[in-house]
Amino acid sequence: MSAPNVISVQSHVAYGHVGNSAAVFALQRLGIEVWPVHTVQFSNHTGYPDWQGQVFAAEDVARLMDGLEARGALADCDALLSGYIGDPALGAVILDAAARIRAANPRALYLCDPVMGDHGRGLFVRDGVPDFLRGPALAAADIVTPNLFELEILTGRKPEGLEAIRDAAASLLAHGPKAVVVTSFSPAGNAAGEMEMLAVSAEGAWHVATPRLAMSPNGAGDAVAALLLGFYLKTAALPEALGSAAAAIFEILDTTLESGADELQLITAQDRLETPRRRFTVRTL
């Protein structure tokens, strides 16, 4: 069988691993073909004091999709992955691409990582983006992968505790997606200092916890969304994908911590993505 094909629409940096610079290699290392479409091209992520590069207009991204369609890539695409969206105009291009991909291949999936912010940082997207993600993006996506802060924005709730977070995630299923994966949270009552992940679908809910590491590097959310999609394409099973993604991102983060580096050590950890040193129990809720 040929490898699955993914179109990944995200930012790109020359230095470090965020956006497509995290997602593309992670997917490729899982044996998945990736056709990256960059929304920006920067020297490095914007958490540094300075950066160079350019933001591509929505029209530029749309033309790249036209070019991919001309090559027959949309019919061969098994999944669309999107991350940070700079403005709603780009979001409209991504949703148009999702519709065209599904028209060419009805089995194709759309995973939307609704990047908006995080606790401690707040929102870091333009006005209009949260409304876009709560509305048309949520309705179009098969899988959404918010962190806890983003789950709060999507649902309008402030869930505290595992059951409340599960219920908030499950409430999104009525708005379109077939699965919701909360990629990182440490709720009230978590005395063990763990980082947790949760997946819900119509079939049930699953939870996994890993040790919390004293770090929060840029790009971790981009990597975990890509890993989750990659493992899901390989297994077609949400709990298995959840457990594998949790183990893989823990390997990347642990390797980064061991190195003392600021940027994700994705290349160093690559051989452990599918064969991690530690695996974590996925339990049914």
Side-chain angles (χ1 to χ4, degrees):
M1 294 177 63
S2 60
N5 301 312
V6 170
I7 295 176
S8 181
V9 185
Q10 301 194 53
S11 59
H12 170 75
V13 295
Y15 177 83
H17 296 287
V18 303
N20 266 341
S21 302
V24 171
F25 181 77
L27 286 164
Q28 289 173 333
R29 198 60 182 80
L30 298 184
I32 292 167
E33 183 69 65
V34 188
W35 301 318
V37 174
H38 302 325
T39 56
V40 310
Q41 182 166 281
F42 287 168
S43 56
N44 48 268
H45 68 71
T46 58
Y48 287 98
D50 57 82
W51 64 91
Q52 301 295 327
Q54 68 182 113
V55 177
F56 298 121
E59 294 79 8
D60 297 325
V61 177
R63 282 195 291 270
L64 285 178
M65 288 297 180
D66 291 340
L68 288 173
E69 185 172 33
R71 302 284 72 76
L74 302 192
D76 291 333
C77 179
D78 296 292
L80 173 67
L81 170 63
S82 70
Y84 174 82
I85 293 172
D87 61 64
L90 175 59
V93 171
I94 293 171
L95 294 195
D96 177 68
R100 289 158 67 183
I101 290 168
R102 284 187 175 124
N105 177 11
R107 298 184 303 278
L109 300 172
Y110 171 34
L111 188 151
C112 174
D113 185 13
V115 179
M116 289 182 279
D118 206 346
H119 289 116
R121 298 180 64 187
L123 281 170
F124 51 64
V125 293
R126 293 181 183 178
D127 290 345
V129 171
D131 287 339
F132 167 78
L133 291 170
R134 278 192 298 257
L138 189 63
D142 294 292
I143 304 172
V144 291
T145 56
N147 61 30
L148 181 57
F149 176 85
E150 292 155 353
L151 179 68
E152 293 171 359
I153 299 297
L154 292 175
T155 62
R157 304 185 186 186
K158 292 280 188 179
E160 296 184 5
L162 181 57
E163 290 186 3
I165 293 169
R166 178 201 61 196
D167 292 344
S171 74
L172 294 179
L173 299 176
H175 298 278
K178 299 178 179 65
V180 178
V181 180
V182 187
T183 57
S184 61
F185 62 95
S186 187
N190 182 340
E194 295 174 319
M195 184 57 66
E196 303 178 46
M197 295 175 65
L198 168 75
V200 298
S201 72
E203 285 71 45
W206 301 271
H207 169 266
V208 63
T210 67
R212 186 183 184 95
L213 300 174
M215 61 185 309
S216 56
N218 287 277
D222 304 325
V224 76
L227 290 164
L228 180 86
L229 176 60
F231 285 118
Y232 186 78
L233 289 172
K234 291 166 72 73
T235 65
L238 188 59
E240 284 81 351
L242 177 69
S244 294
I249 194 63
F250 181 80
E251 282 287 4
I252 295 170
L253 295 175
D254 197 30
T255 301
T256 303
L257 184 62
E258 289 170 353
S259 74
D262 293 326
E263 297 287 348
L264 286 180
Q265 296 301 291
L266 182 57
I267 307 305
T268 304
Q270 63 178 294
D271 290 336
R272 299 171 182 161
L273 299 186
E274 291 192 278
T275 56
R277 291 170 292 183
R278 296 181 64 179
R279 291 192 180 272
F280 306 96
T281 301
V282 176
R283 64 186 184 92
T284 302
L285 296 180

